[in-house]
Amino acid sequence: MDKKATIYDIAREAGVSTATVTRVTSGSAKVKSSTRERVQRIIDAHGYVPSAAAHALESGQTHTIGLVMPSITNPYFARIYSTIYEEATANGYYVWLFQIHDNDPIPPNLIDEIIRRRMDGVIFAGGIWSMERTGLADALTRLKHHMPVVTICPPTMQLDCICIHSDLVGCSRLPVRHLHALGHRRIAFIGGSMQLRDSSKRGENFLQELRALDLPDDPAYHVNCGYNAESGEGAVLRMLSGLERRRWPTAIIAFNDLMALGAMKQLKNMGLRLPQDMAIIGCDNQFFCSYTDPALTTVDLHPEELGSSAVRELLTARDRAHVPFNLMREATLIVRESCGAKLGYRKLSD
Amino acid sequence: MDKKATIYDIAREAGVSTATVTRVTSGSAKVKSSTRERVQRIIDAHGYVPSAAAHALESGQTHTIGLVMPSITNPYFARIYSTIYEEATANGYYVWLFQIHDNDPIPPNLIDEIIRRRMDGVIFAGGIWSMERTGLADALTRLKHHMPVVTICPPTMQLDCICIHSDLVGCSRLPVRHLHALGHRRIAFIGGSMQLRDSSKRGENFLQELRALDLPDDPAYHVNCGYNAESGEGAVLRMLSGLERRRWPTAIIAFNDLMALGAMKQLKNMGLRLPQDMAIIGCDNQFFCSYTDPALTTVDLHPEELGSSAVRELLTARDRAHVPFNLMREATLIVRESCGAKLGYRKLSD
DNA sequence: TTGTACGCGTTATCAG
DNA sequence: CTGATAACGCGTACAA
């Protein structure tokens, strides 16, 4: 951590101009090979590396894209981050991750920071619940003034930017149809922070699907809560203990796999056998789905593809006119054992 | 994305000098309040935010710390990242995450990038397996020339920097003693990429613990493999199918919870009851441990505390002489149900 | 309380 | 092939 050499030091020591040093470091222009070697030797001796700040100042580019999302402690977001990182790196960009907390407003100085750093673009990713976040719309508006913005979220708000999202309809339809085909009639839905019948696309779609199949649309079957394993436990407990046994649902669709995990634990604690007494479906196809007992049937939203598309759209956004648009990736049902489909199990329509 | 206003534009439009604009944005020095308001109005109108690059160039500080670690797709690292992020943010620093791939050498241009960006410090975190990574020592040496470096890893290599690590002895001792106290005598160890009896502290400690308790130290009980759930499945299958049933271990210690998860699945597939037929202990105390069936007994290495300590040490490193040292956080055994301790279950010493 | 002028480290342009 | 020099945007002495 001695005082670091600058391009001037290198130039002076090598007896050349700074321009020539740049020519060597950037590798591009023609330099007599003897000069190049001499300069390179000095560079190596000092461990000289050009400063990104000075370069950014001069070029106006930082080769950095910002990524704003909830904690990667949630493995769904970890997957999105990872894929964005890979795609960006492959294109010569670096990703800078900023975390926001669920239910908290977007910190205004976070937005400032992204602008201050003059990033070349930003991706906002967040589940449906965060889209109603205080300050989101303002944040995007400010950001859009400075750089291209891509969001990974349901197109429920008019965000006026490129929006890449998963298949919210399929995400509700697939599990409902699957359960219906297996003979289930009383199907419950737990999780999310949405108000069903209100703003949430996901909830709306679930209800719509139920109605399309002529299934009971009992408010007692909808538990509105968080989206982690603990909420899953609580949701099941609250729902079932508030219901006579004969009115219990025979299947539960969870907002995500985390909730399903909690729900399964609670159901087992209550002495229910899975999938015989209760079928369950999660969402996200997380790594642990194959390892639950029974293995969890779930919906894959293909977050990896959302992430890499987001990067590609962002990186090409500069060359296009600003035309906001939406892109959707279809959902896929991953059938495992938590509904009994593979056991040939079929619920009596009781 | 119009051309962005610079401090000059603001100054000109407000009829003041750039110095005054700085005084307003930095909020510090005395400015006549009428001037301040006028300038601020122009700033707001343009959405002007000073450039970090220019600032960094001028101040020599980026308020950025780099973090290099394996994919946060592994929830253990996700936890470390999150806590580092929080601690850094609380101190006015931002964290820039760089991912390295297991078993790959450290990409040299990654190191260049960190130096180029003139970060104020770097934290290297990585499990024991990555410490033998090609190029790690070189990378650290280069980096140390430019900025303070803190590593979160076992102090097995002479890295000559501040090293924060978890309790590798306790991490082996705790589970072995626990199982021993429950009556287990044949204890196996799966996972990691280490060569037991060789470089790995973790493996060494396990063997040492076995010997201290006079337990059989059978090479067939040590399966060297990866460290994810799939490896756990494979390890169990390979180990048990290579052994007559009467020689099977009665307990398995897994390198981490991921492996334990896979192991449990495989054990159940083979028709074993947990914990009656096989006890199992993981490591890391990940969120899913409470949700496995049976709930997984594990060791908590307190990665959160490692992370926040790392940040604190890094941020104060500049003010101290360069004295490399090690810091250790003790491990804790988290007893759940996968060994039967809570059921009062006690293995016959067969 | 405000303004002037220079340095921060690079790259690009233009001239040689 | 190489060198001089002007930006790039900001903060900070120093002066007024």
Side-chain angles (χ1 to χ4, degrees), chain A residues 17 19-20 23 30-32 35 57:
Chain A
S17 72
T20 296
R23 291 185 184 106
K30 298 286 170 206
V31 183
K32 205 205 303 180
T35 326
L57 198 55

Side-chain angles (χ1 to χ4, degrees), chain A residues 139-184:
Chain A
L140 292 187
T141 305
R142 275 191 66 207
L143 244 15
K144 271 187 302 188
H145 195 69
H146 293 266
M147 62 194 76
V149 176
V150 171
T151 61
I152 302 182
C153 73
T156 47
M157 290 177 77
Q158 279 312 26
L159 259 17
D160 186 41
C161 53
I162 300 174
C163 171
I164 310 213
H165 63 99
S166 47
D167 176 10
L168 259 14
V169 173
C171 175
S172 294
R173 170 170 299 165
L174 259 18
V176 171
R177 302 257 157 154
H178 182 64
L179 291 168
H180 184 260
L182 289 172
H184 290 273

Side-chain angles (χ1 to χ4, degrees), chain B residues 100-114:
Chain B
I100 53 184
H101 294 289
D102 298 320
N103 307 320
D104 281 6
I106 306 266
N109 46 3
L110 194 168
I111 304 302
D112 272 341
E113 194 60 24
I114 293 176

Side-chain angles (χ1 to χ4, degrees), chain A residues 226-233 256 258-260 262:
Chain A
Y227 30 81
N228 58 27
E230 230 180 320
S231 329
E233 292 185 74
N256 63 25
L258 252 21
M259 296 206 60

Side-chain angles (χ1 to χ4, degrees), chain A residues 130-343:
Chain A
S130 57
M131 286 303 106
E132 289 147 2
R133 195 186 290 277
T134 314
L136 210 222
D138 288 353
L140 292 187
T141 305
R142 275 191 66 207
L143 244 15
K144 271 187 302 188
H145 195 69
H146 293 266
M147 62 194 76
V149 176
V150 171
T151 61
I152 302 182
C153 73
T156 47
M157 290 177 77
Q158 279 312 26
L159 259 17
D160 186 41
C161 53
I162 300 174
C163 171
I164 310 213
H165 63 99
S166 47
D167 176 10
L168 259 14
V169 173
C171 175
S172 294
R173 170 170 299 165
L174 259 18
V176 171
R177 302 257 157 154
H178 182 64
L179 291 168
H180 184 260
L182 289 172
H184 290 273
R185 292 302 173 260
R186 296 195 303 277
I187 304 176
F189 183 78
I190 60 172
S193 66
M194 59 272 191
Q195 280 67 48
L196 286 184
R197 295 162 206 284
D198 190 57
S199 65
S200 153
K201 260 288 172 258
R202 183 90 162 266
E204 273 175 30
N205 292 339
F206 173 70
L207 291 176
Q208 198 168 315
E209 214 41 45
L210 248 36
R211 293 190 200 112
L213 293 173
D214 231 5
L215 296 180
D217 158 21
D218 188 333
Y221 291 173
H222 312 148
V223 182
N224 177 339
C225 53
Y227 30 81
N228 58 27
E230 230 180 320
S231 329
E233 292 185 74
V236 165
L237 184 61
R238 257 186 299 146
M239 176 170 66
L240 296 191
S241 57
L243 235 36
E244 303 165 67
R245 183 126 194 172
R246 58 179 186 81
R247 286 188 57 216
W248 280 10
T250 64
I252 295 177
I253 296 176
F255 185 86
N256 63 25
D257 292 332
L258 252 21
M259 296 206 60
L261 198 60
M264 290 174 82
K265 179 182 181 186
Q266 183 61 46
L267 291 168
K268 286 184 190 176
N269 275 355
M270 298 175 79
L272 300 193
R273 292 163 306 157
L274 310 181
Q276 295 88 332
D277 299 331
M278 186 73 75
I280 183 158
I281 297 188
C283 182
D284 287 348
N285 194 25
Q286 296 201 355
F287 72 93
F288 57 77
C289 289
S290 319
Y291 295 98
T292 59
D293 184 13
L296 186 61
T297 291
T298 191
V299 178
D300 196 338
L301 264 19
H302 305 287
E304 286 80 4
E305 298 177 24
L306 298 181
S308 52
S309 292
V311 172
R312 284 190 296 270
E313 295 302 329
L314 187 66
L315 260 26
T316 54
R318 277 216 149 76
D319 312 329
R320 293 189 308 249
H322 170 65
V323 189
F325 61 89
N326 297 330
L327 237 42
M328 188 192 86
R329 173 56 165 96
E330 285 187 357
T332 313
L333 184 72
I334 311 290
V335 178
R336 295 202 178 85
E337 292 146 26
S338 63
C339 302
K342 292 198 170 168
L343 309 174

